[in-house]
Amino acid sequence: HYQLTTDEQKQTKYFQQISRSVSNINQLLDGVLTLCQAESGMLPVVPTQIALDRFCHSLLEELEPISCGKHELLCDFDSKCSSIHLDEHLLRHILINLLSNAIKYSPRGGKIDLKVKHQDDRVIFEIKDRGIGIPEEEQKTIFDRFTRASNATNIQGTGLGLWFVKQLVELQGGEIYLDSIIDMGTKFTVVLPLV
């Protein structure tokens, strides 16, 4: 409709914004559906073979627009981890949530690392940022439903993301750990047993 009155550069910018918004809405709806299934005990775990290098790089590419060029998204793989057998849908939710949090809570930008290691019969994912961190006294409850860190009140969020991630990790028999220092950053470690 506005093709004749808007220059091509502005049109491209608007289309990119619309595309990001539609993608965000789709992710939100998919997350809500998965969350409802998990709460009702009807979320199936369907392990498939995942080519980790391709999978993780596609996640980082998907998150690039959210980063707005302020963050350097890095990926580091253990050579023994080229392919794993896990539920790709659940793993995607876990990593997208943790990586988008790393971006959101690192307002000054900087590096965000995704490391993948293989250890015995487990795969370990580490997501590390250089963001605002989580106060030590609040770290024990940060995985509770509707819980947000006190230093994150001016950043948009629901307080459900980390609770949701923990549910998905535990559904697969895994564990999640947190290491955080105020104004220095946060590292989440997800340990999942290989099927």
Side-chain angles (χ1 to χ4, degrees):
H1 181 70
Y2 294 101
Q3 191 169 10
L4 298 176
T5 59
T6 308
D7 67 55
E8 193 173 324
Q9 190 175 12
K10 282 186 180 178
Q11 286 179 32
T12 302
K13 180 183 171 186
Y14 295 147
F15 283 131
Q16 288 172 344
Q17 288 173 339
I18 291 167
S19 178
R20 277 196 302 269
S21 296
V22 168
S23 177
N24 289 341
I25 290 169
N26 280 337
Q27 287 177 11
L28 180 63
L29 290 173
D30 190 36
V32 169
L33 176 62
T34 304
L35 181 61
C36 290
Q37 287 177 315
E39 280 202 308
S40 67
M42 298 182 70
L43 182 62
V45 178
V46 184
T48 58
Q49 207 63 27
I50 304 170
L52 260 183
D53 186 41
R54 180 185 51 78
F55 174 76
C56 290
H57 280 97
S58 74
L59 289 181
L60 295 182
E61 281 178 22
E62 187 178 326
L63 291 165
E64 206 51 64
I66 298 169
S67 166
C68 300
K70 291 196 310 185
H71 304 85
E72 188 179 359
L73 305 176
L74 304 171
C75 204
D76 182 26
F77 284 92
D78 179 342
S79 59
K80 295 182 278 186
C81 254
S82 61
S83 180
I84 58 170
H85 197 70
L86 287 172
D87 187 308
E88 185 171 346
H89 181 71
L90 301 183
L91 181 60
R92 186 177 184 290
H93 275 293
I94 291 166
L95 295 180
I96 284 282
N97 192 297
L98 294 174
L99 287 164
S100 59
N101 275 357
I103 291 168
K104 182 165 54 168
Y105 295 108
S106 302
R108 295 183 302 274
K111 292 181 182 177
I112 293 174
D113 297 304
L114 169 60
K115 292 186 180 182
V116 186
K117 299 186 277 189
H118 182 268
Q119 189 177 70
D120 302 323
D121 57 350
R122 305 176 303 165
V123 63
I124 301 165
F125 298 89
E126 291 180 356
I127 295 90
K128 183 178 179 184
D129 66 52
R130 280 85 175 162
I132 63 173
I134 300 167
E136 186 176 352
E137 63 277 7
E138 297 173 23
Q139 292 178 18
K140 289 179 184 170
T141 59
I142 202 67
F143 292 105
D144 292 350
R145 196 183 319 207
F146 302 114
T147 300
R148 300 191 70 219
S150 59
N151 61 336
T153 53
N154 63 340
I155 299 171
Q156 187 177 1
T158 61
L160 286 173
L162 291 177
W163 172 81
F164 180 49
V165 164
K166 188 169 192 243
Q167 303 306 306
L168 296 184
V169 168
E170 291 177 349
L171 184 65
Q172 299 177 86
E175 298 172 318
I176 185 166
Y177 304 98
L178 161 68
D179 183 24
S180 187
I181 300 172
I182 288 292
D183 293 326
M184 293 187 68
T186 301
K187 180 174 79 171
F188 285 98
T189 304
V190 174
V191 181
L192 293 172
L194 293 171
V195 183

